[in-house]
Amino acid sequence: MRTFCFRKSSCVRVILSAAAAIMQIGILTLVPDAALAHGERNQEPFLRMRTAHFYDVKWSTNEIPVNGEIVVTGKFRLFPIWPVNLPLPEAAFLGNGTPGPVLARTESYINGVPAIQSTKLELNRDYEFKTVLKGRVPGHHHVHPMINVMGAGPLLGPGNWLTVTGNESDFKLPIKTLSGETIDNLETWGLGRVFFWHGLWVAIAIVWLVWWLRRPLLLPRFRALTEKGGDRSQLVTSTDRLFGAGLLVATILIVFFGFQATDTAYPRTVPLQGSRATVEPLPEVPEQVKVVVNKSNYDVPGRSLRMNVTLTNSGSTSAQLGEFLTSNQRFINHEVSQAMATVDPNYPKELLPPNGLKVSDSRPLKPGETKTVDIEAADAAWETERLSSLINDPDNTLGGLLFFYDEHGKRTISNVSGPMVPVFTDPDNRTAENPKGGPG
Amino acid sequence: MQGGTSVRLYGLEWLKESARISKVFDLLVAAILFLAVSGAFHLHYMLTAGDWDMWIDWKDRQWWVTLTPIMAITFPAALQYVFWTKFRLPIAATFAVVCLLFGQWINRYFGFHLWSYFPMSEVIPALLIPGALVLDVALLLTGNCLFTAMSGAFAFALLFYPANWFWLAPYRLPVEVMGQLVSVGDYISYAFTRTALPEYIRLIERGTLRTFGGHSAIIASFFSAFVSILMYLAWWHIGMLLARVVTTPNTLKNFMGLTDKDEPAETAQKAIDGTSLQGRFAAVE
């Protein structure tokens, strides 16, 4: 009876374990929304704040059919206060962050130079990019422009949701080779030859294996080798050796003549191309407004970044602070109409914090004028985008771009960077759990 | 003892029933071994030559040709020791690479094509079967691991590039993309993007092996062949070590004051006299 009980409980355990495993697989399969983006929020804030700042990013459309094209354009600046623990961008590649190759990339350029190869980029310089993508797998996909930097990893630009409609089997990516062949679809090109040669060699291998496996195998052979009376000559016969020698000759002949035949079929081939592209940055534009960070705090309970900065306008026109951009979050100063006008209606709403940027004195900075102002970027995005975890980073320095506009709407960009001091409590007794303050 | 009729297998007497059970045992072991080698060899191979074998734009004429045979000869060599010395079966290399190919195709089709949307043309595994057949036949004909290393392992690496050229050549046709010359393989991997595996990660003919004779693949093949000889011998001996049945004495029991009942009388006497640790425990009792 005890044995029976033990067995019963074991069965229950097995069934429960199996059910748990099925549930886990089910949860992973049925809740895909959370996994469709690319983990950009998991990148450390110092990485997102002080490497590549993407701006003016535009997606030509939000919905395309299979084989339809979307063009993603924009600019990026490599931040001059580059994190010391990351290698410099000696080799960088313009990528696109998508959940697998759901889109096919047909063209990409950095400053007009084809970006099929990697290139070296310079800090504190701006680059313009363009990527042409073709719809391939129907679905709702999160698409980012992206710069991969050797040793630093993927640096993601703003992500937007794109819908691909239609049927995946309709996808085609044709190309004509320089040697005259027409390729109807790169997805399936050459597969007939692959299947034939793989199949042929697997068949030959199976013949060889079956030749030996058809006979009594493990224990009889082991006994014959180890016990007195075992006839070793039957384990490997002269017929086996003859068959093996024949197979050896056949293998070498197939490889030799197959190689010759392939060379004849494809006389003009090229090796893989592994050079580096040379890309010059956009012409350097001197900073019109110099920004010195006197103090900066991140107010943990208020979810707010506050900076006290001194601005000096060294240009010949006035300058009005219109936007603070960091980690793809655009904090727009709602009092500056030129800044508001730059917001594309297609721009992802989650990257435009609704409270925007509060500036203690938004009046234009006159040429030659120096002014100290308080800037506040308050939004739950600091938490939801996991930027507040900057306080846990070994390099606790914030970084971003400030966009200034003159009276004609002309924009100039200044870098802003400085050490960040967290504020964990405040006089109103606000905490992360009780953000409104007052008695807890 | 039922049945009564016996058969002779390789010179030894077997009951028919025993021979039948032995056949069932063969099938069970073969099935388990097939899956185990598929998994273990695939894991080893992916960790050491994974990207080279995975992507169509990583299969260059230098690193792919050099690395793949060196990393792929490991399991065949270790298994050849076991298969040959214990069973006189010259099929280990072929068996191992067929297992590997099976694991790779399963992984590429279900994991990379169906699950992750990569086209099959981007993720074709390399063919190792011709080299493995030659390696097995070399062992069959020489019956000696050193001669097999010098001939079979050498050929294993040397045949690698020409045997793969059959299917690889269409992916090395030249195309013009954005005014640049690239191969079809380059363009396939450019078009069907790998988010976290950018272009600069690849090692395309970097190094000095290409400088002699102009065609990197030949130089790389010979270099790989020489290293494969050493790798083969090393893994043959790893197979030898792993095939040993080893027991270790339970030293912990001494600290518990336990002694073996069947230990020699001399040792037991020492214990009683208190000249050993366990003896001191025994004395306390």
Side-chain angles (χ1 to χ4, degrees), chain B residues 10 14 21-22 27 44 47 53 60 66 105 109 112 139-140 142 166 174 190 192 199 221 236 250 261 263 280:
Chain B
Y10 308 119
W14 283 71
I21 292 170
S22 160
L27 287 174
H44 157 88
L47 289 174
D53 193 71
D60 74 331
T66 306
W105 274 104
Y109 183 70
F112 280 80
L139 183 62
L140 168 72
T142 65
F166 306 149
Y190 169 80
F192 305 105
E199 187 277 331
S221 293
W236 173 278
N250 183 359
K261 279 180 186 171
E263 68 186 331
R280 283 198 288 278

Side-chain angles (χ1 to χ4, degrees), chain B residues 167-232:
Chain B
W167 65 267
L168 187 65
Y171 299 100
R172 295 294 174 263
L173 292 175
V175 286
E176 185 182 343
V177 177
M178 294 178 281
Q180 311 268 306
L181 169 71
V182 290
S183 70
V184 170
D186 285 308
Y187 188 52
I188 286 175
S189 290
Y190 169 80
F192 305 105
T193 53
R194 301 175 296 240
T195 303
L197 204 67
E199 187 277 331
Y200 55 71
I201 300 280
R202 304 183 304 157
L203 285 171
I204 305 300
E205 301 197 25
R206 280 187 225 162
T208 51
L209 276 179
R210 72 184 177 282
T211 54
F212 190 79
H215 202 297
S216 317
I218 297 168
I219 310 298
S221 293
F222 273 96
F223 177 67
S224 182
F226 285 117
V227 180
S228 291
I229 293 175
L230 302 176
M231 202 67 166
Y232 178 86

Side-chain angles (χ1 to χ4, degrees), chain B residues 257 259 271-272 277-285:
Chain B
T259 54
I272 293 162
L277 183 63
Q278 64 209 40
R280 283 198 288 278
F281 277 102
V284 171
E285 284 174 8

Side-chain angles (χ1 to χ4, degrees), chain A residues 196-410:
Chain A
F196 172 77
W197 283 105
H198 274 71
L200 176 71
W201 283 111
V202 168
I204 294 172
I206 288 172
V207 168
W208 176 243
L209 292 175
V210 169
W211 176 267
W212 293 93
L213 297 180
R214 68 201 159 97
R215 294 177 234 178
L217 264 182
L218 301 172
L219 290 176
R221 296 183 79 93
F222 183 74
R223 277 190 67 199
L225 271 175
T226 53
E227 287 181 21
K228 201 176 171 188
D231 185 359
R232 293 181 177 203
S233 66
Q234 288 184 35
L235 295 176
V236 177
T237 63
S238 52
T239 315
D240 293 333
R241 289 199 175 85
L242 203 62
F243 180 66
L247 185 73
L248 178 74
V249 173
T251 300
I252 291 169
L253 287 178
I254 292 172
V255 171
F256 181 77
F257 286 110
F259 184 80
Q260 294 291 334
T262 308
D263 251 4
T264 311
Y266 300 101
R268 288 198 179 88
T269 56
V270 290
L272 292 173
Q273 300 299 300
S275 66
R276 289 275 190 269
T278 305
V279 177
E280 291 296 322
L282 291 176
E284 197 165 7
V285 180
E287 277 187 354
Q288 183 180 343
V289 179
K290 185 171 171 52
V291 181
V292 176
V293 178
N294 303 316
K295 189 173 184 186
S296 66
N297 292 115
Y298 178 69
D299 178 356
V300 177
R303 296 172 171 182
S304 158
L305 179 74
R306 291 193 289 261
M307 284 187 281
N308 178 269
V309 294
T310 298
L311 310 174
T312 303
N313 184 357
S314 55
S316 55
T317 57
S318 65
Q320 205 173 7
L321 177 53
E323 181 179 339
F324 170 51
L325 168 74
T326 187
S327 306
N328 297 319
Q329 294 291 318
R330 298 180 63 187
F331 294 91
I332 310 279
N333 185 351
H334 294 193
E335 293 178 28
V336 180
S337 56
Q338 294 96 325
M340 292 297 286
T342 63
V343 180
D344 185 338
N346 279 337
Y347 201 80
K349 298 287 176 287
E350 64 272 21
L351 300 179
L352 288 164
N355 292 332
L357 187 70
K358 302 275 188 268
V359 184
S360 61
D361 183 356
S362 275
R363 285 175 298 171
L365 194 64
K366 295 189 185 83
E369 185 185 358
T370 297
K371 189 161 65 175
T372 299
V373 295
D374 290 315
I375 299 170
E376 183 177 17
D379 200 273
W382 292 105
E383 294 295 328
T384 56
E385 293 292 322
R386 298 188 189 172
L387 291 167
S388 58
S389 63
L390 183 65
I391 56 182
N392 298 321
D393 279 356
D395 189 348
N396 193 2
T397 305
L398 62 86
L401 303 181
L402 289 178
F403 292 2
F404 294 89
Y405 295 86
D406 69 8
E407 58 271 33
H408 306 297
K410 190 185 165 203

